[in-house]
Each structure stands twice: as C-alpha cells, then as structure tokens.
Amino acid sequence: MAGSGKRILVVGSGAREHALADGIRQDPSRPEVLVCPGNPGMPGDFRVVPSLPEDPGEAAKWIGSLSPDLVVIGPEKPLAAGLSDALREKGIAVLGPSASAARIEASKLFAKERMREAGIPTADFQVTEDAGSVRDAVRSFGYPAVLKADGLAQGKGVFVLHSPEDLEEALEKVFRRHDLESQTKFFVEKGLSGPEVSFIVLTDGTRFLPFPEARDYKRIGDGNRGPNTGGMGAVTPLSGWTPKDQEDACHLIDRTLWAMRRHGTPFQGFLYAGLMKTPEGLKVLEFNARFGDPEAQVLVPAAGESLLSLLESAVGGALPAEAHLSRTPRVAVVLAAGGYPEKPVSGIALQGLDKAREQDGTRLYMAGIKEKNGQLVTSGGRILSVVGEGKTIREAREKAYRTISLIGLEGGQFRTDIGAEEAGE
Ligand code: AMP
Ligand code: GLY
C-alpha cells in the first residue's frame, strides 16, 4: 500500500496513538504506519506489532530491525526511560524529548525550577521533607493548598486540600500508609482557581507551532464529580480564550523552551502546558512531555494531511514559521469500562462498532481493547474515544453522542456533559 515507501512507527497503545497514526496516514505520500504495540481495535493495516521491551536499549534494537524512517513516541513512560535517546544513538529519527528534557513532566520540581528561572507564572511552592513541614507550608499558604509528589504518579500524586480534614487524609496516605511509596520528594503549592486549559505545541526546541486550545475532563462523573481518571473527554476550541491569552501562552512556551536550552536539555516533541486562567492571568499548573490524551483525539485532526511533514520538520530542527491548523470544533467522549477508575472490568464484549464507524462526522479511536475468541473485548480502563466534528461545538457534541449511543458495552460509562458548557447548554 505504501506509495512513498516511508515507514513511520508510533509507540504506544491508546486512543492518542491511534489518532496520531491516523493523522500521519493522511500524508499525501501515503506512508506505511505501524503502531507498537497498538491494540486489536485499531485497523488491521496499522499492522499492530508486539510490545516493546521495557529496556530502552533493547527496545531501540528491536525498532531498528524494522528500519522506520521516523518514530513518534506517544506516552510519557518510554520518554522518561530514555527511548528517544536510545533511538537517536542508533541514528533513528525520532519525535520526542530526551529523558533529561522529559524531566519537565517526570519531575514536577525540575519543572518548577525551570519556571522560576524563566519567570514563568506558576503557583508559589515550598519543598517539604515530612508531615511537619507539609503542615507548616499549608499554614503559610492557607487553604486551598496542593500537596504534590515530585515524580510520575499517574495522576495519583496531587492532593488538592480545602480543609484541615483534607490535609490529614493526604498526610495519612502519603506519610503513614505510604500509598505513593515510589515517591521520595514532595512539595506544597498555593491553591489557584480558574478554568483549566490544555495548551499543546509541536516544537523543534526553539520554534513551535501551537495547536488550538482545548479542555479535558478529568473526573469520572458529570458535573466534575467523583474520582480522577486519565481523562473522560475533551473539547476544542474554547470560547473564553482571548487573543491576549494566546499571546501570553505563546510567550510562556517561548520562555520555557529558552529555559530548557539554557539548562542543556533542549525540548523537541510535543510540549503540553496545563494552564489555569486565574484572575491574575494564565499560570502553569504542570508540563507534560507529550500530547495529552484525550486532547490528541480532538487536536491531531487539526493538522489535516500536513501532520507528517510538520513532525518531520520538527525532527529536522526547521519547523515552518507558519502552518495551518484548523480550529474546527471537535468533542471527544471517552467510553470507559465498568468499574473504572478503581477496578475496570476486563473481557466484556463490545457491540455495534461497525455501525458506529460508518457515521459521518465522527471518528473512533481505540484504546483498552483485546481480542478474545475473534471478538473485541475490554482490556483496561478507557476503551475508546468517539470524536464528533461540526461547524459548532453543539453539532460536534451531538454527533459524538449519537455515535457513542450505537456502541454496546455492558457496564460501560461515559460522561454526558462533555463540551456542554462550551456549547452553551
Ligand atoms: P497537575 O498534575 O500538577 O496538573 O495537577 C492535577 C490537577 O490538580 C490539575 O489539573 C488541577 O485540577 C489540580 N491542581 C494542580 N495544581 C493546582 C493548584 N496550584 N491549584 C489548584 N488546583 C491545582
Ligand atoms: N489529558 C491529560 C493528560 O494527558 O495528561
């Protein structure tokens, strides 16, 4: 099938990687796209290949044997482990930061230090050693305050504290029960308030191309209730986002890239700024060293058929000054397994996918899925994303919800309010 003979390998297995692979395949040269390890819900011609060894050197050797023209790394874990370094050592072109640059996500204190150096607005913070110093810091900031673990904790390392009861509960978990035993450093931050915005750019280390602003929905339930998840949906663009916000966000990305170069850890790949629009202006809550999931599902299609050439130019250190990314309204609704996020139920059959795939103006991106006796069944928490596209967010939302209603999954859960506020509902 490959017109150009180019072979692109996407590392990862979720809906974000499915969206990236799908976008790359739109390139006019019709490259061959492999997803590693992918999942059996993805189209067969992505030629899903087996899991990679965890060791970056071994993984790079294995990837090298496939002779890809470009490797695009989706998730944070292989980035933090140094997969992009190991690939570069072998002379393989790769989109994704080095392990030392990926520390901007893997170590929240590293990110705080870069922000402090570059004068980037973020919440004040104090590094804490033990329960006593956490109490002191919370006393000095007042409520709300936020206790954060330094390292990667799959969303479990952040405790927003509104009261002394919240504080005691967090201290119990962290310092007495040692629920986060792999975490050694903690800090306390002043609590901020305002709407959150995901601002994601593609960068060659100096120049960058911003994707449209988006919002993700982290809680499992409607009205932002219930426990945190990996993300239950996303919407783009946002009505409250002004030209001044865009300018401020671009400025802070520019300063961040400067701080990363100055520190000797230039950042190439997708840089994700988790922003909060506070009464004093935009502030950075966190950086991620990768595309967001489910943000990718609504934003990657914005590049249309130019995605691959943009990725290649970022890898080559020469992103174009101008590129067209559409601001078409999109809404992604995530279908999660029963029991998610605590204990997702595996092995439940999915029905109606063929019908759902045929719907106009929607796309399906597959995630926690495996094959059992020739059927697609659940395997993990977030099972798939349905993305609706329209002239308005209201239309995008209607399409996404119409399509997701065609999919049968016993015990399946999805939020019904993704994009509702943006649609004025
Ligand atoms: P993080 O992983 O640092 O983005 O934190 C996860 C979530 O915790 C964010 O999306 C916010 O909802 C919340 N959060 C983090 N830091 C703060 C803060 N300083 N003030 C208020 N909420 C915060
Ligand atoms: N959607 C949030 C994240 O990818 O971290």
Side-chain angles (χ1 to χ4, degrees):
M1 65 163 271
S4 62
K6 266 189 205 166
R7 176 179 277 181
I8 316 297
L9 192 140
V10 178
V11 174
S13 65
R16 166 183 52 207
E17 287 75 27
H18 189 175
L20 285 165
D22 210 35
I24 291 167
R25 194 166 59 174
Q26 309 303 317
D27 189 80
S29 70
R30 296 286 174 254
E32 180 187 21
V33 186
L34 307 180
V35 189
C36 179
N39 69 71
M42 294 179 182
D45 60 357
F46 283 143
R47 293 190 40 206
V48 178
V49 288
S51 284
L52 285 174
E54 277 203 14
D55 176 73
E58 289 298 310
K61 207 188 292 171
W62 193 85
I63 290 174
S65 72
L66 294 169
S67 310
D69 296 282
L70 173 67
V71 178
V72 179
I73 303 175
E76 62 274 24
K77 237 175 120 185
L79 290 168
L83 180 56
S84 63
D85 306 85
L87 289 166
R88 281 188 195 104
E89 265 167 39
K90 290 189 159 300
I92 300 170
V94 54
L95 184 89
S98 65
S100 47
R103 291 193 74 214
I104 199 163
E105 171 168 7
S107 165
K108 288 181 188 287
L109 282 168
F110 175 94
K112 283 294 212 187
E113 280 154 20
R114 302 288 81 69
M115 287 190 261
R116 188 142 66 181
E117 277 169 17
I120 291 166
T122 185
D124 291 343
F125 70 104
Q126 280 180 31
V127 179
T128 51
E129 308 292 330
D130 50 24
S133 54
V134 171
R135 281 204 181 86
D136 291 345
V138 171
R139 202 170 301 126
S140 74
F141 290 133
Y143 292 101
V146 188
L147 173 62
K148 292 188 177 183
D150 178 49
L152 289 178
Q154 295 181 317
K156 297 194 179 93
V158 175
F159 301 86
V160 182
L161 314 171
H162 293 282
S163 65
E165 291 73 39
D166 290 350
L167 170 62
E168 291 312 315
E169 197 181 311
L171 291 176
E172 168 76 22
K173 283 187 182 151
V174 172
F175 294 105
R176 281 191 284 276
R177 282 197 349 230
H178 300 285
D179 284 3
L180 298 165
E181 56 188 338
S182 60
Q183 300 287 335
T184 51
K185 288 192 198 157
F186 292 87
F187 64 99
V188 173
E189 219 175 66
K190 190 172 166 54
L192 304 174
S193 62
E196 289 182 44
V197 180
S198 304
F199 191 73
I200 296 158
V201 305
L202 171 67
T203 176
D204 59 15
T206 305
R207 270 160 298 201
F208 63 92
L209 185 66
F211 280 82
E213 72 288 351
R215 173 158 302 132
D216 73 337
Y217 293 72
K218 294 197 172 78
R219 304 293 185 125
I220 186 81
D222 282 3
N224 300 322
R225 295 204 179 83
N228 257 324
T229 69
M232 292 299 290
V235 58
T236 187
L238 303 176
S239 53
W241 189 251
T242 64
K244 167 86 164 69
D245 290 332
Q246 181 73 15
E247 196 183 308
D248 291 350
C250 286
H251 181 67
L252 69 85
I253 294 287
D254 201 42
R255 297 294 296 159
T256 306
L257 295 176
W258 168 85
M260 293 297 277
R261 292 195 300 275
R262 198 180 88 130
H263 189 68
T265 52
F267 188 103
Q268 174 260 51
F270 293 113
L271 179 63
Y272 169 140
L275 305 176
M276 192 173 259
K277 197 171 165 176
T278 75
E280 303 97 67
L282 293 179
K283 295 199 180 186
V284 177
L285 295 182
E286 64 163 347
F287 284 110
N288 292 321
R290 53 174 173 81
F291 226 117
D293 183 339
E295 288 92 332
Q297 291 87 304
V298 292
L299 294 178
V300 165
E305 59 177 33
S306 60
L307 181 66
L308 177 57
S309 63
L310 291 172
L311 303 185
E312 287 172 334
S313 56
V315 171
L319 255 190
E322 291 288 322
H324 179 70
L325 295 181
S326 85
R327 290 179 64 79
T328 303
R330 289 194 187 85
V331 168
V333 183
V334 171
L335 177 65
Y340 180 71
E342 287 88 5
K343 274 207 180 97
V345 187
S346 273
I348 309 295
L350 283 150
Q351 319 281 351
L353 290 178
D354 289 341
K355 185 98 192 284
R357 281 199 187 95
E358 286 165 11
Q359 303 304 305
D360 274 350
T362 56
R363 304 164 197 250
L364 257 59
Y365 296 126
M366 314 304 262
I369 292 178
K370 67 181 176 192
E371 204 167 347
K372 195 171 137 195
N373 305 327
Q375 248 200 333
L376 296 180
V377 302
T378 61
S379 165
R382 292 186 295 168
I383 307 306
L384 54 86
S385 296
V386 178
V387 179
E389 187 175 296
K391 286 194 206 64
T392 61
I393 287 180
R394 182 183 284 253
E395 188 187 338
R397 210 173 110 71
E398 274 166 17
K399 287 185 181 165
Y401 279 107
R402 199 179 313 135
T403 297
I404 206 167
S405 73
L406 301 172
I407 302 173
L409 174 64
E410 203 187 306
Q413 322 175 61
F414 60 86
R415 280 181 63 157
T416 64
D417 62 348
I418 307 297
E421 216 179 289
E422 289 299 320
E425 290 170 20

